[in-house]
Amino acid sequence: MIRSSVLPALLVLSVAPAALAQPPGEPAPAAPAEETPAKPAEEAAPKPEEAAQSAPADEKSGPPAPPPSPLEISVVGTRVQQTSGSAHVVTPKQLQRFKHDDPHKVFLSVPGVYIRGEDGFGLRPNIGIRGALSDRSKKITLMEDGVLFGPAPYSAPAAYYFPLIGRMDSVRVVKGPSAVSFGPHTIGGAIDLITAAIPSERRGMIDLSTGQFMHRKLHFRQALADDNYGVLVEVAHLGTDGFKELDGGGNTGFSRTELMLKGRYVFDPTAKVVNELEIKAGYGGEDSNETYLGLTDEDFRENPYRRYGASRLDHMEWNRTQLQLTHRARFGRKLDITTTLYRHDLHRIWRKVNGFRGAAISSVLANPEDPRAAVFYGVLTGQIAPSTPEETLLIGPNDRKFVSQGLQSTISYRPRTGPVRHRIEYGVRIHYDSIRRLHTQDGFLVEGNELVPEERFTQTTADNDASTWALSMHASDAATWGPLTVTVGARMESIRSEMDDRFEGTQTITVQQVIVPGAGVFVALPRDLGLFAGVHQGFSPVPPGQTVPVRPEKSVNYEAGMRWSPRRFRAEIIGFYNDYKNLTNICTFSTGCVEENLDQQSDGGAARVLGVEAYAESELKVRENLAIPGRFSYTFTDARFSTDFQSADPIFGNVRAGDELPYVPRHQLSASVGVEMPRWGANLSGTYVSAMRESAGQGEPAPGTATDAYFLLDASVNVRVLRWLSVYGLGRNLLDDAYIASRRPYGARPGAPRWLMIGAKADF
């Protein structure tokens, strides 16, 4: 529990470097990163050489300063050129160039971010940052408009829900010391998805596309606004019949729909204190024929897009509602207070193949030549009729209900003490989330491509409730004196979790409290060069319901680099080192865990992750009306355990010191280049990811224990037919590279094949 005597000190000590400000030239976001109000472009700090000659904008009267170039974004009130940590923004223009519907494709363009493919669509992304395990993105902080969007970020951090990336206006990734502002997970970093802001005028658009595999997409947005009020309505629908070929025929695709309504009211835009209220309501739903069942390596080589008929009944359905109320108060140009009240509800039912009564499917698919496994493989593929109860296939729904709600507030203050300019932030969040699990399964007999009910009793495998109350506070000060910017602070998390397991007849309570510090420094050099370095503590809490004593995940993370940022160009190179005191993983079905280990944490002890990130981005104007945009990112990572241990989590297994971490690629590269004119544009993108281990190990991976290295080539072309109408064409995986994207949880699973689409977008 929290001691009252500790709270006042924590209010002063806790930190959070703030959110990234919206790139100018694009609509400003409704809310930035967690607990942090947006910074208008005119409030971003001037370059160091400018600061030495004049007072900052927030102390001047008169009109705001002109907006910076599209590549100038800000962190903790300082432009990215001056920030002491790593920060990247995928801008609206960059998102529109390729119109990716798979969020994995978007994050692969950001250095230091790794993904593990699963279904080829990115329905439930697996994202890791700087060595943090990628399974269900549970080791990073995920936000939409600054609010945690995971179904239950503390009680069940596995992100089985992810918003449609196609309706986002921009994407922000924060790493390094700045990550301590975004809790509860500060190990790798934070991701904030920014939805469309309410514009200051009447504006709308509709985007329609179709393509192979019965791809269909609709994106509609309409806004009405004046100086006092604004309303925005958005509808996004995405669907396909799927690219996998189910034995015996059938749909292997999905259908998703998301609705959003925003309303804004400004009481008096000319008042000394400007008060604004904004309400955001949303609904989302998915109906997908998705499975965890993959293939043997031999079947994958014959047809990588085959799907066994045993997965015919696999089906996911979920519905989600969200409601947020935000109040913003602006006291002149030095002080802002932003407060948000939020609630999200998610109900999902996933009916899927869980295994045989007498064998694990992962073992069967990994060794189909083994005499015993061969029988189960024959039953699984419909070649052999089941003859014993052990050969019965167990299929059942995992029924889960989630609640996530809370109240968060941030104060941003920009004073000056002598020659030193400060960007100070204080924030607090009170959060509650819960999960209700009811897992059942029934037996089915595989007869050819049909599944026949065994007609025995329904087995209940899990029946529990978990909930968490969490109080988090943060504070930070980014102080600039001439060419020097120093950012310091810390974050506090106080967490009380409870698990009521009706299936086992047990109750457990977990209490955690931690202060997470961080600091960084930036030194501006002549000719737009800068040096920066930082250190922060990584933390990831223990989830509720642990049956054995475990420790939180903790690390000390270091980074240092150089940045060059002349106008319309940004390049940087960063070295990072994460020293894990205790690397952990939480067992999930997606990693192949059995029911009795579900949501149990495994401690991996000491580990170290080191690497180098290189990044360059430009909007080169060759001449008037001709631009050549380019983007390049490369990440080298070496991630290894430092201790020996044994784990029931199959993604770890029996580990020896020196073993490489699973699903962390050694090399990852992404590059894009384009030609853009007022009437047309074309862009080409290439992505390379080296092979990844599917469990810890050393040396050359044994056959069947790693993913494939792959190279994906994507392209887009658009033509403006009328002032308000554009048509476009998209090509994914143009070289039609068939590769194993994952082996979790059951067998080899492919990435998406070549995929061609055409569409039209109207602006009005």
Side-chain angles (χ1 to χ4, degrees):
M1 301 295 294
I2 308 167
R3 296 186 177 91
S4 58
S5 60
V6 177
L7 293 181
L10 291 176
L11 279 168
V12 177
L13 291 175
S14 330
V15 208
L20 303 173
Q22 176 72 12
E26 304 293 343
E34 176 208 357
E35 308 170 3
T36 307
K39 302 276 193 304
E42 65 268 20
E43 293 178 5
K47 293 185 177 181
E49 58 271 23
E50 297 169 351
Q53 299 172 12
S54 61
D58 60 15
E59 296 187 2
K60 293 182 179 181
S61 59
S69 75
L71 297 184
E72 292 178 345
I73 56 181
S74 74
V75 183
V76 201
T78 59
R79 291 181 183 173
V80 109
Q81 288 92 329
Q82 292 172 271
T83 186
S84 57
S86 308
H88 294 271
V89 171
V90 185
T91 65
K93 186 181 292 186
Q94 290 163 345
L95 288 173
Q96 284 299 307
R97 281 178 181 137
F98 291 96
K99 296 181 178 291
H100 286 305
D101 299 317
D102 183 347
H104 287 152
K105 292 291 192 74
V106 174
F107 293 115
L108 280 171
S109 68
V110 180
V113 180
Y114 324 111
I115 65 98
R116 172 172 69 88
E118 183 174 309
D119 47 49
F121 306 121
L123 297 178
R124 280 157 282 281
N126 300 286
I127 306 168
I129 297 178
R130 290 185 174 176
L133 294 180
S134 60
D135 179 56
R136 283 291 176 268
S137 311
K138 57 180 176 273
K139 292 298 182 181
I140 58 178
T141 297
L142 298 172
M143 299 167 288
E144 179 181 302
D145 292 334
V147 176
L148 299 172
F149 70 70
Y154 287 83
S155 300
Y160 282 88
Y161 161 79
F162 204 90
L164 283 174
I165 199 73
R167 71 176 180 87
M168 295 302 148
D169 204 51
S170 63
V171 175
R172 304 169 185 187
V173 181
V174 177
K175 300 168 288 180
S178 300
V180 300
S181 43
F182 313 107
H185 308 284
T186 65
I187 289 290
I191 291 173
D192 195 9
L193 308 179
I194 307 301
T195 63
I198 301 173
S200 58
E201 59 185 0
R202 181 174 180 176
R203 185 184 302 169
M205 73 88 182
I206 185 168
D207 190 342
L208 297 166
S209 68
T210 186
Q212 290 178 282
F213 313 114
M214 291 299 294
H215 162 87
R216 54 213 180 258
K217 181 172 76 172
L218 163 67
H219 188 191
F220 169 80
R221 188 183 291 161
Q222 177 65 61
L224 301 172
D226 65 11
D227 291 341
N228 290 93
Y229 82 94
V231 177
L232 182 144
V233 178
E234 184 171 36
V235 180
H237 173 79
L238 182 66
T240 174
D241 285 356
F243 58 83
K244 294 178 183 176
E245 302 166 11
L246 185 67
D247 290 351
N251 187 303
T252 62
F254 70 92
S255 175
R256 281 192 65 175
T257 301
E258 293 188 5
L259 313 175
M260 185 183 73
L261 171 66
K262 282 186 178 181
R264 178 194 68 213
Y265 183 75
V266 181
F267 290 89
D268 182 357
T270 63
K272 186 174 181 180
V273 179
V274 178
N275 287 280
E276 175 184 327
L277 278 179
E278 180 176 288
I279 187 170
K280 173 184 173 183
Y283 168 81
E286 176 182 303
D287 192 309
S288 60
N289 301 304
E290 197 45 62
T291 182
Y292 276 158
L293 187 58
L295 304 169
T296 66
D297 280 21
E298 183 176 351
D299 287 340
F300 188 94
R301 286 190 293 269
E302 290 182 4
N303 180 3
Y305 308 116
R306 178 187 177 186
R307 204 172 114 177
Y308 300 139
S311 66
R312 178 175 303 280
L313 300 180
D314 288 16
H315 179 257
M316 163 73 92
E317 183 177 1
W318 59 255
N319 295 276
R320 180 181 187 266
T321 59
Q322 67 174 154
L323 183 63
Q324 293 173 202
L325 180 64
T326 299
H327 173 260
R328 300 184 182 94
R330 184 166 183 177
F331 301 79
R333 305 190 70 174
K334 287 188 177 182
L335 178 64
D336 301 296
I337 302 177
T338 300
T339 303
T340 300
L341 179 69
Y342 60 91
R343 179 177 172 116
H344 306 149
D345 292 82
L346 174 70
H347 181 206
R348 49 148 281 196
I349 300 177
W350 194 350
R351 189 188 198 192
K352 57 183 176 55
V353 174
N354 292 329
F356 285 106
R357 184 170 284 131
I361 290 181
S362 56
S363 300
V364 171
L365 296 180
N367 302 285
E369 305 301 325
D370 179 84
R372 174 174 166 76
V375 175
F376 286 100
Y377 169 75
V379 173
L380 183 68
T381 56
Q383 302 172 29
I384 301 175
S387 58
T388 67
E390 285 72 22
E391 295 163 9
T392 299
L393 203 60
L394 299 175
I395 301 175
N398 291 345
D399 188 336
R400 301 180 184 178
K401 295 180 180 179
F402 302 85
V403 172
S404 177
Q405 60 187 6
L407 176 69
Q408 64 185 42
S409 185
T410 297
I411 300 173
S412 296
Y413 182 45
R414 297 170 290 280
R416 185 178 185 121
T417 55
V420 181
R421 292 176 292 113
H422 298 269
R423 277 78 62 194
I424 298 173
E425 293 180 4
Y426 297 95
V428 61
R429 181 181 65 206
I430 301 172
H431 176 90
Y432 170 83
D433 62 45
S434 65
I435 177 174
R436 169 77 172 92
R437 298 183 182 93
L438 180 60
H439 299 175
T440 60
Q441 60 186 16
D442 292 281
F444 285 81
L445 305 178
V446 183
E447 296 184 1
N449 292 319
E450 300 299 322
L451 294 169
V452 180
E454 188 185 34
E455 296 184 350
R456 293 176 62 179
F457 65 90
T458 297
Q459 178 187 6
T460 298
T461 58
D463 184 1
N464 60 64
D465 292 333
S467 61
T468 299
W469 281 98
L471 171 65
S472 62
M473 291 180 283
H474 67 266
S476 68
D477 183 4
T480 299
W481 183 19
L484 178 67
T485 298
V486 177
T487 304
V488 295
R491 177 183 190 84
M492 187 279 289
E493 289 277 353
S494 186
I495 305 165
R496 185 186 187 277
S497 301
E498 184 173 349
M499 168 75 86
D500 180 8
D501 193 329
R502 286 177 290 276
F503 187 72
E504 298 290 341
T506 60
Q507 283 187 317
T508 58
I509 295 176
T510 305
V511 177
Q512 303 168 77
Q513 186 164 291
V514 64
I515 296 178
V516 181
V521 60
F522 172 85
V523 180
L525 302 176
R527 300 185 182 277
D528 299 306
L529 287 172
L531 301 177
F532 59 94
V535 59
H536 79 281
Q537 182 176 346
F539 170 76
S540 184
V542 174
Q546 302 305 304
T547 57
V548 297
V550 291
R551 296 175 293 149
E553 182 166 277
K554 286 189 176 182
S555 65
V556 179
N557 301 346
Y558 309 86
E559 72 169 12
M562 174 182 289
R563 184 179 297 126
W564 184 43
S565 50
R567 183 170 177 80
R568 295 189 175 275
F569 185 84
R570 175 187 169 197
E572 64 185 24
I573 184 166
I574 301 173
F576 63 89
Y577 181 86
N578 294 356
D579 183 8
Y580 281 87
K581 307 304 179 185
N582 183 42
L583 186 143
T584 71
N585 191 47
I586 303 168
C587 234
T588 61
F589 283 119
S590 59
T591 59
C593 286
V594 294
E595 187 75 48
E596 54 265 30
N597 295 326
L598 184 65
D599 297 302
Q600 293 299 298
Q601 177 175 300
S602 294
D603 287 356
R608 60 114 178 110
V609 180
L610 59 88
V612 176
E613 299 172 2
Y615 179 81
E617 177 184 3
S618 72
E619 294 282 347
L620 178 63
K621 273 202 167 185
V622 178
R623 56 180 174 81
E624 189 175 0
N625 296 329
L626 175 61
I628 301 180
R631 190 177 175 99
F632 169 87
S633 71
Y634 169 75
T635 308
F636 166 82
T637 311
D638 185 66
R640 298 179 183 273
F641 290 99
S642 302
T643 55
D644 300 347
F645 66 95
Q646 292 185 340
S647 172
D649 190 334
I651 206 169
F652 284 163
N654 297 326
V655 176
R656 295 179 301 151
D659 280 0
E660 295 178 337
L661 269 63
Y663 285 105
V664 177
R666 197 168 184 83
H667 302 281
Q668 183 169 291
L669 184 147
S670 176
S672 65
V673 65
V675 177
E676 294 181 346
M677 299 184 72
R679 298 297 298 271
W680 65 274
N683 288 272
L684 191 68
S685 171
T687 302
Y688 170 79
V689 179
S690 62
M692 297 180 284
R693 293 181 180 277
E694 63 101 26
S695 61
Q698 300 182 39
E700 187 69 22
T705 64
T707 65
D708 291 336
Y710 62 87
F711 175 76
L712 303 179
L713 186 67
D714 299 335
S716 70
V717 59
N718 68 87
V719 178
R720 185 170 292 278
V721 181
L722 301 171
R723 182 181 60 83
W724 52 271
L725 177 65
S726 298
V727 296
Y728 59 86
L730 306 170
R732 315 278 195 241
N733 191 7
L734 292 176
L735 302 181
D736 202 19
D737 186 9
Y739 61 98
I740 296 175
S742 173
R743 295 181 179 275
R744 295 285 171 184
Y746 313 134
R749 311 184 71 188
R754 181 189 293 123
W755 202 324
L756 304 178
M757 290 159 272
I758 58 172
K761 180 182 178 183
D763 295 285
F764 47 86

